[in-house]
Amino acid sequence: MKKIKFGIVGIGRIGKIHLNNIVTRIDNADVVAIADPKIDSETIKTFNKLGVKKIFSKCEELVSDKSIDSIIISSPSSLHSEHISLACKKVKNIFCEKPIDLNLIKIKNILKLVKKYNINFMLGFNRRFDPNFLKVKEIVESKKIGNPQIVKITSRDPSPPPLEYIKTSGGLFLDMAIHDFDLARFILNDEVISVYATGKVFGNPEISKLGDIDTAIT
């Protein structure tokens, strides 16, 4: 079986998780290249030991490599649509961390591009593959509990993200609660009719200065 050759764009916390998962868990795939503007020489040595031979500073360089079949995009959210566009035009299949973009018009244009170039495209809503959530979905679909009337989802992170990240993340609703919105649709196999949401900062007041919150009810 031919091995899938991956390139990873963005090798921060999430990018490293994808790299480790492919190297340790997926036999028919290799990570052959990484693109990130902030990789130092010691980090490059570590990646080389994992079989990553090509290190680029720009996404454009990575997607232009003809040996690469598929791209994992784990760069900052504000760069996703740009990097998806570059990968589409080089006809690379794409796995991208959410969101595609924070602008709906840009999202629609990206989806048109994916269709135009016939790209296999997947957005990273990881909870759909969590065994516990899959069990809940199976129970709902089998009607073991009847017809659901209320679904309550609670999400917590150990601590807020860095302030620098918050500046471009789109805020707690678009960056974190998006998982809960997706999960509600996934479990019920239904669409949302209306939404009410409220939130407040209970922790670091610097978060409110950036126009964001750390606690929300939707």
Side-chain angles (χ1 to χ4, degrees), residues 171-188:
L172 184 135
F173 288 114
L174 290 177
D175 183 58
M176 182 178 174
I178 187 173
H179 283 291
D180 304 315
F181 302 154
D182 178 69
L183 199 57
R185 293 173 63 247
F186 174 63
I187 290 174
L188 297 180

Side-chain angles (χ1 to χ4, degrees), residues 14-26:
I14 299 299
K16 288 185 176 73
I17 290 173
H18 289 308
L19 172 61
N20 183 67
N21 285 342
I22 291 175
V23 170
T24 60
R25 299 185 181 188
I26 304 178

Side-chain angles (χ1 to χ4, degrees), residues 92-142:
K92 308 292 186 183
N93 294 314
I94 301 166
F95 174 93
C96 182
E97 285 295 324
K98 56 79 187 164
I100 293 176
D101 198 88
L102 301 179
N103 181 290
L104 188 57
I105 293 173
K106 285 186 178 181
I107 291 172
K108 290 180 177 180
N109 288 337
I110 284 294
L111 295 178
K112 288 177 183 177
L113 206 59
V114 166
K115 187 174 182 180
K116 174 182 176 181
Y117 288 97
N118 195 29
I119 303 297
N120 291 315
F121 179 81
M122 182 175 181
L123 204 60
F125 284 107
N126 57 309
R127 297 186 190 182
R128 290 188 176 219
F129 302 92
D130 182 287
N132 298 295
F133 292 125
L134 286 173
K135 182 63 176 178
V136 171
K137 183 172 176 63
E138 186 274 324
I139 290 171
V140 170
E141 289 185 340
S142 67

Side-chain angles (χ1 to χ4, degrees), residues 2-7 28-32 67-71:
K2 178 181 178 291
K3 281 196 171 186
I4 300 171
K5 304 296 184 182
F6 276 97
N28 66 328
D30 288 324
V31 177
V32 299
S67 69
I68 296 172
D69 306 306
S70 301
I71 308 295

Side-chain angles (χ1 to χ4, degrees), residues 16-79:
K16 288 185 176 73
I17 290 173
H18 289 308
L19 172 61
N20 183 67
N21 285 342
I22 291 175
V23 170
T24 60
R25 299 185 181 188
I26 304 178
D27 294 332
N28 66 328
D30 288 324
V31 177
V32 299
I34 285 170
D36 195 297
K38 298 180 180 180
I39 300 180
D40 57 45
S41 57
E42 286 303 310
T43 306
I44 289 174
K45 291 178 183 177
T46 301
F47 292 152
N48 289 160
K49 290 178 182 178
L50 294 173
V52 183
K53 303 302 182 186
K54 300 178 181 180
I55 308 293
F56 301 103
S57 61
K58 297 180 180 179
C59 176
E60 296 96 319
E61 297 170 329
L62 184 145
V63 299
S64 296
D65 190 316
K66 294 182 179 179
S67 69
I68 296 172
D69 306 306
S70 301
I71 308 295
I72 294 173
I73 297 175
S74 50
S75 51
S77 298
S78 57
L79 297 174

